[in-house]
Amino acid sequence: MRRAVVVGATGQIGRAAVGVLARDGWEVTAVSRGGARDEGWPHGVQVVRADREDHAALAAAVGDGCEVLVDMVAYGPEHARQLTSLGDRVGSAVVISSLSVYEDDKGRGFDTQQEPDGFPEYPVPITEDQRTVRPGDSSYSTRKAGLERELLAVGARLPTTLLRAGAIHGPHCRTPRELYFVKRNLDGRPRRVLAYGGESRFHPASVHNIAELIRLAAARPGSRALNAVDPDAPTVAEIARAIDAVMGVENESVLVDGPPPAPTVGDTPWSVPVPVVCDMSAAERELGYRPVVRYAQTLPDTVAWIEGRLAGRDWREAYPKMFQAYGDLFDYAAEDVLLDA
């Protein structure tokens, strides 16, 4: 039986990937810091407690070897070198990267988006041939780029598929963008302000589609970087309506041309001045990939998960990383001032 070691197994993507691989006939070792088991996994999944920062513990989890090592949490060149050092015991790797590694033809990327005229204008759609940021230690994007460069450079010594994920969504997410509309609906807010006319598109990526890409890449080793996004790239206004439909409410979107009218009004986690949309042709060509879900299909589970996390809790307690990343998403007083005007 083929053996797969999944690092970061109890994270958002890891839970789905472990289940998909196990049901596809792989002998799966699920590695996480807590050593927990997801109730949806088949009984044959082996659970191992290990911190990926501890090289000895990671090497012990790999043991005598595996056909594929799937790494959800690799971040930076040092992790790439750690994986490469296990190459004599690992047939291939599948590693999660991010579309934030891309920069536009003027050298703008996600790291420059807060600067004047700093938001990148990518081609629509973005292919894997688009240039990437220079590797470095200054940001998430530059460290992911460093991870990619190191792993792609080793080639056949450790064939690695890097999956450049978009706006990841699904249960167990610590920063669910859908929270922006779910909480407003729970709070009975009949109107919401959307900047850029509600037309912003930031390509989502379901954990189920990413897990399918992992399954296919595990069976077809290679050294490559592939986009990992859903078949749909809905506008933020379409996302709002889809969440309303799941929650059985009808609300009004107040559309504002241009950027958010105030720092805490109209700036959703998807709000971008120009589209960020990726092409999936390479994955279809190289892996035979076909998406297993569409965005709207996944929303009931996502909404239910968020509602459960929010029950009886302040949203900042339920989602501290969301507050850290986006600040106050629910400044209703400031919204009401604008709406009343």
Side-chain angles (χ1 to χ4, degrees):
M1 183 179 289
R2 302 167 299 173
R3 180 169 181 248
V5 175
V6 179
V7 181
T10 56
Q12 183 185 12
I13 305 171
R15 291 173 188 266
V18 168
V20 165
L21 289 169
R23 286 186 285 273
D24 197 37
W26 289 80
E27 176 188 334
V28 181
T29 298
V31 182
S32 65
R33 285 184 295 181
R37 177 182 295 276
D38 187 274
E39 62 182 16
W41 292 344
H43 294 301
V45 172
Q46 180 186 6
V47 174
V48 172
R49 182 176 183 176
D51 190 330
R52 68 115 44 246
E53 300 294 344
D54 184 336
H55 181 73
L58 181 60
V62 172
D64 293 334
C66 60
E67 279 69 30
V68 66
L69 190 155
V70 184
D71 197 338
M72 310 297 172
V73 290
Y75 177 55
E78 62 276 14
H79 286 167
R81 292 189 286 269
Q82 182 189 48
L83 294 176
T84 303
S85 72
L86 298 170
D88 59 339
R89 287 183 279 164
V90 175
S92 68
V94 183
V95 177
I96 300 300
S97 185
S98 168
L99 59 81
S100 73
V101 299
Y102 289 123
E103 68 177 11
D104 71 7
D105 296 339
K106 295 182 179 179
R108 298 173 298 188
F110 286 3
D111 292 343
T112 65
Q113 60 183 312
Q114 301 303 324
E115 301 173 7
D117 193 35
F119 197 90
E121 294 188 33
Y122 299 119
V124 180
I126 306 168
T127 69
E128 291 82 354
D129 294 329
Q130 183 66 27
R131 59 194 263 186
T132 58
V133 299
R134 181 175 298 180
D137 294 325
S138 62
S139 70
Y140 176 84
S141 301
T142 61
R143 289 183 61 77
K144 279 291 190 181
L147 171 77
E148 288 196 3
R149 179 170 294 188
E150 293 260 353
L151 287 172
L152 292 174
V154 301
R157 286 171 50 204
L158 181 64
T160 301
T161 299
L162 291 145
L163 297 177
R164 293 171 175 165
I168 302 170
H169 61 96
H172 301 283
C173 182
R174 291 185 292 178
T175 54
R177 290 169 172 83
E178 291 77 11
L179 173 68
Y180 187 87
F181 296 121
V182 172
K183 178 170 165 54
R184 278 174 166 74
N185 288 346
L186 292 174
D187 292 341
R189 300 285 296 179
R191 295 184 291 172
R192 62 268 174 134
V193 179
L194 301 180
Y196 306 112
E199 292 299 309
S200 295
R201 299 168 73 202
F202 192 98
H203 213 144
S206 166
V207 294
H208 300 296
N209 287 327
I210 298 173
E212 174 66 1
L213 285 161
I214 290 169
R215 182 187 74 85
L216 294 170
R220 297 171 175 82
S223 184
R224 60 209 166 198
L226 297 173
N227 290 333
V229 293
D230 290 346
D232 313 304
T235 68
V236 66
E238 290 170 338
I239 290 171
R241 290 194 294 271
I243 293 173
D244 286 354
V246 170
M247 300 182 73
V249 299
E250 291 186 15
N251 290 321
E252 177 189 359
S253 292
V254 178
L255 307 181
V256 176
D257 291 333
T264 57
V265 180
D267 192 10
T268 79
W270 294 275
S271 294
V272 289
V274 292
V276 180
V277 176
C278 291
D279 182 88
M280 289 298 294
S281 298
E284 294 169 2
R285 182 174 61 252
E286 296 192 26
L287 301 179
Y289 168 72
R290 295 294 182 272
V292 295
V293 294
R294 306 189 82 90
Y295 182 77
Q297 290 176 278
T298 69
L299 276 178
D301 287 344
T302 300
V303 170
W305 174 259
I306 294 172
E307 288 177 329
R309 290 279 297 176
L310 288 176
R313 304 169 73 186
D314 185 281
W315 76 274
R316 289 160 291 197
E317 176 191 352
Y319 290 105
K321 287 187 175 293
M322 194 74 176
F323 180 60
Q324 181 182 0
Y326 296 103
D328 189 359
L329 292 171
F330 306 103
D331 188 350
Y332 293 155
E335 285 182 0
D336 289 340
V337 169
L338 178 83
L339 291 169
D340 289 345

